[in-house]
Amino acid sequence: MPPDSSARVLIIGATSAIATETARTYAAYGARLFLTGRNGGRLEAVAADLRVRGARTVDTAVLDVTDHRRCQEVVEVAWAALGGLDVALVAHGVLPDQARCQASVADTVAALELNFSSVVALLTPLANRFEAARHGCIAVITSVAGDRGRQSNYVYGAAKGGLDRFLQGLRNRLHPAGVAVVTLKPGFVDTPMTAGVAKSPLFASSRRVGRAIHRAIEARRNVVYIPWFWRPIMFLITSMPEAVFKRLRL
Ligand SMILES: NC(=O)c1ccc[n+]([C@@H]2O[C@H](COP(=O)([O-])OP(=O)(O)OC[C@H]3O[C@@H](n4cnc5c(N)ncnc54)[C@H](OP(=O)(O)O)[C@@H]3O)[C@@H](O)[C@H]2O)c1
C-alpha cells in the first residue's frame, strides 16, 4: 500500500491550478482531504472531482485568507474534522502588477498581505498544532522569485523571499518535534496566475509541478526547486555580484 493512502491532508487555496494537481495525486492514493478556497462554487467543483478520483473523504471550508481570524478558525475546524492532520499544504497567492504597486501603497501592501501575512496567519496555528502532535508536514509554495529581488517583480519577490526565511526558522523550530517543513520553489508555471505572461520553454505544466510537490512532501524534503533545473539557474542568479546585477534589466 502506498505510504500516503490514509494521509489526512489540508490544502489551503485548493482551487489553485497547481494545488488541484497535487490534490489529485493524493486522491488517487485514497487520502482524506480538507480543502479551502474563497470561491465556494469552484471549491465544490474541485471537491467533486477529487471524490471521483478516489479520495476517501473530502471536506471543504470557504476561506478568504485575508481574514486572519477565520484562518485560525479553519485550521481548528480541519484539525477536528480529520482527527488531526498529516500534511498541510499552503498554496494560495497572487502575482501583483509591479507597475501598479510602484504607484500605489495600497496595492503594494495588499500584495504583501496576500502573499506573506496571510500565510503567516495560517502557519502560526498550524505550527502549534503540529508541534504539539509531534508529527506531520507543513508545505508552502513560495517561488524562485523570492531568491533575488528584480525590478520587474520585487513586490511579489519580497513576499515570497520573506516567506522563505520564515519557513527556514519554522523548520529549525519544528525539527526536534519531528515535524517537517517543506519550502516549494516553482519557476514559471502555466496557470491562470501567469495567463498574461508570454510563454517560454522554461514554463512547466501545473500537472508536472503539482506531482513534484506531492513527491517532495512525501519525501519530507527541505527546499525544493521545481522543476529541478531552477536550482542551478537560481544559483547563478544569486551568485552575481550586486554591482553587476543592479545594471541588468531583469
Ligand atoms: N504560476 C506560476 O508561475 C508560479 C510560480 C511560482 C510560484 N507560484 C505560486 O504557486 C501558488 C499557486 O499558484 P497557481 O500558479 O496555481 O495560480 P492560480 O491557479 O491562480 O491559484 C492562485 C490561488 O490563490 C487563491 N487566492 C487568491 N487570493 C485569495 C484570497 N484572498 N483568499 C483565498 N484564496 C485566494 C485563488 O483563489 P481564486 O480561485 O478564488 O481566485 C487561487 O486558488 C501561489 O502561491 C503562487 O504564488 C506560481
Side-chain angles (χ1 to χ4, degrees):
M1 196 189 289
D4 54 357
S5 63
S6 58
R8 297 162 298 177
V9 183
L10 167 65
I11 302 182
I12 307 285
T15 55
S16 114
I18 295 173
T20 299
E21 294 295 341
T22 306
R24 285 177 172 170
T25 310
Y26 274 111
Y29 284 124
R32 299 176 62 196
L33 300 170
F34 194 106
L35 314 177
T36 82
R38 74 175 153 175
N39 179 317
R42 288 190 55 210
L43 187 60
E44 282 313 317
V46 171
D49 171 69
L50 296 172
R51 288 186 191 106
V52 171
R53 289 171 186 268
R56 191 135 69 96
T57 59
V58 186
D59 294 313
T60 60
V62 173
L63 171 64
D64 183 324
V65 295
T66 56
D67 183 343
H68 295 175
R69 246 186 40 193
R70 175 91 181 125
C71 284
Q72 183 155 7
E73 194 178 285
V74 165
V75 166
E76 297 306 325
V77 169
W79 197 275
L82 297 183
L85 293 171
D86 301 301
V87 174
L89 170 64
V90 183
H92 69 268
V94 286
L95 184 62
D97 183 316
Q98 174 68 29
R100 276 180 54 183
C101 286
Q102 286 170 207
S104 159
V105 173
D107 284 5
T108 300
V109 171
L112 294 173
E113 149 63 29
L114 200 287
N115 289 310
F116 179 76
S117 304
S118 72
V119 183
V120 170
L122 287 154
L123 292 179
T124 301
L126 280 169
N128 293 339
R129 274 291 188 182
F130 277 108
E131 187 175 41
R134 302 190 67 77
H135 158 86
C137 176
I138 298 173
V140 181
I141 307 182
T142 66
S143 170
V144 296
D147 280 11
R148 190 156 196 176
R150 293 181 294 125
Q151 60 181 294
S152 59
N153 74 344
Y154 64 82
V155 173
Y156 178 72
K160 294 296 196 181
L163 208 46
D164 195 11
R165 202 49 53 91
F166 189 93
L167 293 168
Q168 218 170 41
L170 199 59
R171 182 179 304 111
N172 188 217
R173 169 187 154 195
L174 296 182
H175 177 71
V179 178
V181 175
V182 182
T183 303
L184 302 153
K185 295 189 180 187
F188 300 122
V189 191
D190 192 355
T191 71
M193 181 178 283
T194 53
V197 180
K199 301 298 177 290
S200 77
L202 287 175
F203 269 78
S205 69
S206 54
R207 187 178 165 85
R208 179 178 183 184
V209 173
R211 287 179 167 201
I213 286 175
H214 173 263
R215 284 196 301 277
I217 293 172
E218 291 309 301
R220 304 296 194 253
R221 299 272 302 276
N222 294 315
V223 180
V224 191
Y225 287 83
I226 307 171
W228 64 270
F229 55 73
W230 283 101
R231 186 179 286 276
I233 291 174
M234 294 318 295
F235 175 76
L236 288 176
I237 289 177
T238 54
S239 301
M240 213 176 283
E242 200 61 26
V244 176
F245 197 77
K246 72 179 180 186
R247 293 182 163 78
L248 304 179
R249 301 203 66 77
L250 295 169

